[in-house]
Amino acid sequence: MLIILGFVLWSSWRTDPVVTEHEGLSFASGELLEALSSSESNLNTRIVERFRDRDSINCAGFVRDDLSGIACNERGGWHLRLQRDGASIATADGEQAKENDLALVRAISEMKRAP
């Protein structure tokens, strides 16, 4: 009985990683992968913008409490080209959310710009 209780508690505290490494590169996994692969944000990930980079690769800017950045669907998965600290996505203040996204929006703009 005690073993079962321990397993239940461990399972509820365990979180699946949202970033995995493959051949020295970072890729989305878990909830982040689900949000990037679907057409909508999910509870813990807000998609800021979906776009094509200058090489016509599908990319998305995202914000989570634990991580924000830009991922592009290349090299067999959602490769994290830019990773930054997370920002609160639970804020009700629209202005604060815009401030949190400003640097990300600038980076997206640069990725879309022709060389």
Side-chain angles (χ1 to χ4, degrees), residues 44-102:
N44 296 315
T45 305
R46 182 166 42 87
I47 302 299
V48 175
E49 182 178 346
R50 293 186 184 276
F51 64 98
R52 288 185 178 270
D53 73 356
R54 58 185 78 145
D55 296 321
S56 295
I57 295 172
N58 290 323
C59 300
F62 65 90
V63 176
R64 296 175 47 87
D65 286 341
D66 56 352
L67 175 72
S68 64
I70 297 173
C72 296
N73 196 354
E74 61 185 348
R75 301 176 184 185
W78 283 93
H79 172 225
L80 299 177
R81 289 191 185 173
L82 175 69
Q83 296 180 64
R84 295 201 169 138
D85 290 337
S88 176
I89 63 171
T91 181
D93 181 3
E95 290 305 312
Q96 181 62 41
K98 286 179 188 175
E99 274 183 43
N100 291 342
D101 295 342
L102 189 56

